[in-house]
Amino acid sequence: MTGRLYGVGVGPGDPELVTVKAARLIGEADVVVFHSARHGRSVARRIAEPYLRGDQVEEQLVYPVTTEDSDDYQGEIDAFYAECAARLAAHLDAGRTVVVLAAGDPFFYGSYMHLHKRLADRYPVEVVPGVTSVSAGSAVIGRPLVERDEVLTVLPGTLPVDALTDHLAGGDPVAVVKLGRTFPAVREALERSGRLDEAWYVERATTGGQRTAPLADVDPDAVPYFSLALLPSKATPAGPPPDAGAGAVVAPAVAGGAGAAPPATGPGEVVVVGLGPAGPEWLTPEARQALAGAEDLVGYVTYLNRVADRPGQRKHASDNKVESERAAFALDLAKRGRKVAVVSSGDPGVFAMASAVLEVAAEEQFADVPVRVLPGLTAAHAVAARSGAPLGHDYCVLSLSDRLKPWEVIAERLEAAARADLVLAIYNPASRSRRWQVESARDLLLRHRSPDTPVVVGRDVGGPEETVRVVRLADLDPEAVDMRCLLIVGSSQTLTTDRGTVFTPRRYPS
């Protein structure tokens, strides 16, 4: 018996807008499939991540071309989908349940439909609808799309200017999707049809990078692909959307106020601030001053809650899996004149928000936004200090998380560090869905280290549940390690005293 194929819409961006049925199917699937460009980031997978089990087979379908020029675009895309269909067919022939994730709705300008055409006549198939970007856009600007006898037209921005102008001339509500580099042509068509003043711009609706504005005010160089133009119902009196004036930016979850940011008070900037690994006693005076001077605070909700509320400041909290969206949101606030602090636990430059902010800040649209990075006490240094001085000689820092890099790369780096006899500070050793990496890392290190090598296991250091244990490498129990732990694995020279203090001498034997 073959497996069953599902095309599952995951909505416009907010994981809470995934339907109950979609969430169930994602959690039950044997194989989860998602598309991405060559950069590897998948919007659909990010939305669906809270519903993944962690032990499922994941098939990433990487487009050979996206918006770049190609001598044979259609030929490359057809060959790509034929190969993808063959990959999915192999799973279905093996009896596996396959869920293909689709941002928005699978049959609304979605990539899933190309797989559906190639597989639906051979396997049992079900399509689960999702909330479209058009519906989300209407919701976030607070304007109905259509009323009474009005007719809604949905247009791809890739149409020629003349065709767009003809469609817009009718006067009924319109949604134009697929903006990005097509934005100048869409704007020209709106001007030609005399409808520019009706149009709203919506970017990344319902996500941490959401932005809404009158389309006439939007900089063409700052428009991503995941945006759309809306000309809503004329039956509703025109006016600004609720809690969002012209050019407002709205975060998905806001503490200390809702809606658009207050007017800017001067030149904007983004300061990426390290909070240290725990409470206020770990905060540097420089970081404290930056937090006090910020108008907007942006960050993962758990870290943002560690910053005291101040009158006049606004907090914009988001999930911990949306680093790029959070960075874009902060930079957009600063571009509009706000003084923004992006908060990170520990040091923002160590597996944290500084890289994400600087990566997005390198985009042309944010070229004029100043970005500063303020250091913070790292978790590695905090755990080391609690146990003694295990980092007293050469050491390396690495993460066991394979969410952003393959395990093969992690294993190679562990092997290289072990061969070089470096002390290792290991971040992100395990999580609820990642349980096998600690055991694999331990077994790899034991090929080069004595079973008696001391390992410091620090958990919630500086917090109310702090524990610091020292165990032999051979006795490291993966079940006693979670995401709140940091591991320090000693070198051949690391010693443990009778008092349980761990240190690595500064002298190395000649």
Side-chain angles (χ1 to χ4, degrees):
M1 180 179 294
T2 67
R4 190 174 184 88
L5 174 66
Y6 293 91
V8 175
V10 294
D14 183 348
E16 291 188 344
L17 292 177
V18 173
T19 65
V20 173
K21 183 169 186 176
R24 175 177 62 79
L25 291 173
I26 293 167
E28 293 175 353
D30 301 311
V31 181
V32 178
V33 183
F34 53 91
H35 293 78
S36 79
R38 284 194 288 264
H39 54 57
R41 298 187 296 273
S42 168
V43 172
R45 190 196 181 283
R46 177 187 60 74
I47 298 168
E49 186 161 15
Y51 309 106
L52 298 174
R53 292 200 312 269
D55 60 348
Q56 295 153 300
V57 175
E58 295 190 21
E59 288 281 1
Q60 184 172 6
L61 310 180
V62 181
Y63 297 112
V65 290
T66 49
T67 59
E68 62 268 31
D69 293 330
S70 169
D71 294 333
D72 184 19
Y73 177 86
Q74 194 58 51
E76 290 187 60
I77 286 295
D78 288 343
F80 165 68
Y81 280 119
E83 188 231 338
C84 293
R87 286 167 61 182
L88 270 57
H91 289 296
L92 294 164
D93 289 337
R96 302 183 185 108
T97 300
V98 178
V99 163
V100 180
L101 304 176
D105 181 272
F107 279 171
F108 188 77
Y109 294 108
S111 296
Y112 165 75
M113 66 183 70
H114 302 291
L115 300 171
H116 185 89
K117 293 173 188 175
R118 291 166 170 81
L119 297 170
D121 61 339
R122 299 159 51 193
Y123 303 98
V125 174
E126 182 177 349
V127 177
V128 179
V131 178
T132 68
S133 59
V134 173
S135 297
S138 173
V140 300
I141 68 170
R143 297 285 301 280
L145 279 173
V146 283
E147 295 187 39
R148 298 195 292 271
D149 297 329
E150 292 175 325
V151 176
L152 173 66
T153 301
V154 179
L155 304 172
T158 50
L159 289 175
V161 173
D162 290 342
L164 287 169
T165 304
D166 289 343
H167 284 294
L168 288 164
D172 272 324
V174 175
V176 186
V177 299
K178 299 185 179 182
L179 293 187
R181 65 177 184 172
T182 71
F183 182 83
V186 172
R187 193 184 193 285
E188 180 181 345
L190 287 164
E191 284 184 306
R192 285 194 197 177
S193 62
R195 303 191 66 185
L196 181 59
D197 291 342
E198 297 176 44
W200 279 95
Y201 171 81
V202 182
E203 176 182 317
R204 297 186 176 97
T206 77
T207 75
Q210 175 178 299
R211 183 161 69 106
T212 66
L215 190 137
D217 297 341
V218 173
D219 178 0
D221 295 329
V223 176
Y225 180 79
F226 286 101
S227 56
L228 70 156
L230 285 181
L231 287 77
S233 170
K234 293 181 179 178
T236 299
D243 295 318
V249 182
V250 183
V254 178
T265 59
E269 71 164 348
V270 171
V271 182
V272 192
V273 179
L275 301 178
E281 66 274 13
W282 302 84
L283 196 63
T284 68
E286 182 184 39
R288 196 184 308 275
Q289 183 179 9
L291 293 174
E295 296 168 309
D296 295 83
L297 303 177
V298 175
Y300 171 41
V301 61
T302 300
Y303 303 149
L304 208 54
N305 287 342
R306 286 169 45 187
V307 182
D309 293 334
R310 290 183 175 88
Q313 280 187 335
R314 298 174 61 83
K315 289 184 175 181
H316 308 272
S318 55
D319 182 74
N320 67 334
K321 301 294 198 307
V322 291
E323 290 92 348
S324 295
E325 291 87 346
R326 186 185 305 138
F329 174 69
L331 288 160
D332 198 275
L333 280 174
K335 187 175 180 179
R336 296 165 186 276
R338 307 290 294 173
K339 291 182 171 61
V340 184
V342 177
V343 300
S344 274
S345 180
D347 182 280
V350 180
F351 304 119
M353 279 303 298
S355 293
V357 171
L358 292 172
E359 181 179 4
V360 178
E363 297 177 6
E364 185 177 351
Q365 60 178 310
F366 298 122
D368 296 329
V369 178
V371 177
R372 292 187 292 136
V373 179
L374 303 185
L377 179 64
T378 69
H381 294 151
V383 172
R386 287 287 199 255
S387 61
L391 305 182
H393 198 21
D394 297 341
Y395 68 92
C396 74
V397 177
L398 56 82
S399 168
L400 284 196
S401 173
D402 57 358
R403 188 169 71 88
L404 300 176
K405 61 180 183 291
W407 173 255
E408 292 75 18
V409 171
I410 299 171
E412 289 176 4
R413 292 174 180 175
L414 282 167
E415 184 88 26
R419 287 182 180 277
D421 198 25
L422 293 169
V423 175
L424 290 93
I426 299 177
Y427 282 71
N428 308 318
S431 68
R432 283 177 294 182
S433 61
R434 279 191 305 105
R435 304 304 307 164
W436 57 269
Q437 283 91 336
V438 174
E439 181 178 3
S440 296
R442 179 198 64 195
D443 294 346
L444 188 154
L445 292 171
L446 281 169
R447 298 178 200 164
H448 305 278
R449 301 278 163 94
S450 163
D452 294 326
T453 301
V455 178
V456 181
V457 182
R459 185 178 189 277
D460 191 34
V461 169
E465 300 178 12
E466 175 180 317
T467 59
V468 178
R469 298 181 296 114
V470 181
V471 301
R472 298 168 64 243
L473 178 58
D475 297 333
L476 178 61
D477 180 8
E479 294 304 314
V481 177
D482 61 21
M483 197 67 172
R484 299 176 69 187
C485 292
L486 183 133
L487 310 180
I488 298 179
V489 181
S491 70
S492 65
Q493 304 303 304
T494 304
L495 302 172
T496 305
T497 69
D498 292 340
R499 296 182 178 182
T501 301
V502 180
F503 71 98
T504 303
R506 294 179 62 190
R507 295 181 181 274
Y508 204 84
S510 56

